[in-house]
Amino acid sequence: MITSISEMCENINGLWKGKKEPFVKVGVIRNANFTKDFKLDYSKIEYIDVEERAFKKRHLLNGDLIVEKSCGSDNNPVGRAILYEGKDAIFSFSNFTMVLRIHYKDVLSYKYLYYYIMDKYQKGEMRLMQTQTTGLHNLILDKYLDIPLCLPPYQEQQRIINKIEEIFGVLDLIMENL
């Protein structure tokens, strides 16, 4: 089955500092929390006061993909995605990012989507989905959300995920032994 990210996911824009009380202090995932190997770096999380009502609409859930939509550089285009695998409603995400939240979790695995987007990024396809203004690179959301998504049956997605993670495990062992 071929579909698109927009058909399979809700796209939620991030937030930043609050203006109207009541506030709640929240850890906000920012672009600075994206590592070069597409992981979430918890050591640099910024804690800020955000509007309580905004946080209720924009808190992270386990399995959310956080996508960098503004920032980037000539060498590192926007469009990187990291996977949030943590407790629900603990963190939020900044206005320079967005979250992809899967609608049909029995049809699309969040890890499959994560690896799929990572593959597209590594192949350089995100360069065609960005604009640049005064040094800031911005994701063209319509193009990004319309990325064709080749969606095998769920069991096949799980097999693909297991193989990818097996290979990454071997690579990690090799790197540790260098």
Side-chain angles (χ1 to χ4, degrees):
M1 171 171 133
I2 297 182
T3 184
S4 67
I5 291 174
S6 64
E7 290 178 22
M8 298 304 294
C9 299
E10 178 182 7
N11 166 32
I12 307 166
N13 287 315
L15 58 80
W16 199 237
K17 295 183 180 177
K19 295 179 182 176
K20 290 185 178 181
E21 292 185 10
F23 297 124
V24 59
K25 189 168 279 300
V26 174
V28 176
I29 309 296
R30 304 166 296 136
N31 301 29
N33 301 106
F34 288 53
T35 68
K36 292 186 190 283
D37 59 347
F38 302 87
K39 302 288 184 210
L40 176 54
D41 179 359
Y42 285 93
S43 70
K44 301 177 184 176
I45 292 179
E46 177 101 9
Y47 286 83
I48 61 171
D49 289 325
V50 299
E51 294 175 21
E52 187 174 16
R53 66 180 175 82
F55 178 63
K56 286 180 182 176
K57 296 177 185 175
R58 291 184 176 94
H59 62 270
L60 289 169
L61 299 177
N62 186 49
D64 282 345
L65 274 78
I66 308 166
V67 178
E68 177 186 50
K69 67 178 189 175
S70 290
C71 196
S73 68
D74 291 336
N75 295 330
N76 297 305
V78 293
R80 292 182 298 166
I82 58 173
L83 185 57
Y84 178 73
E85 292 183 295
K87 292 182 179 180
D88 293 352
I90 301 292
F91 296 106
S92 190
F93 46 100
S94 82
N95 60 340
F96 281 85
T97 65
M98 68 179 178
V99 156
L100 297 177
R101 186 167 292 155
I102 296 171
H103 290 300
Y104 314 104
K105 295 181 187 215
D106 57 335
V107 175
L108 174 59
S109 163
Y110 65 86
K111 282 189 176 183
Y112 180 83
L113 180 60
Y114 168 67
Y115 290 128
Y116 193 86
I117 291 172
M118 185 189 305
D119 176 67
K120 298 287 186 193
Y121 187 89
Q122 294 287 23
K123 288 179 178 175
E125 294 182 26
M126 300 309 169
R127 291 186 188 286
L128 304 173
M129 298 179 207
Q130 66 179 4
T131 61
Q132 183 177 357
T133 56
T134 54
L136 186 67
H137 295 248
N138 295 299
L139 194 60
I140 302 170
L141 294 179
D142 291 342
K143 284 186 177 183
Y144 189 88
L145 295 172
D146 286 337
I147 292 174
L149 181 58
C150 299
L151 198 57
Y154 196 83
Q155 290 298 99
E156 180 65 8
Q157 292 174 47
Q158 293 303 322
R159 190 193 68 72
I160 292 167
I161 292 163
N162 292 339
K163 192 63 173 173
I164 290 169
E165 290 180 348
E166 177 185 322
I167 291 168
F168 282 163
V170 170
L171 290 173
D172 288 344
L173 284 173
I174 291 170
M175 294 305 289
E176 286 175 14
N177 291 315
L178 288 181

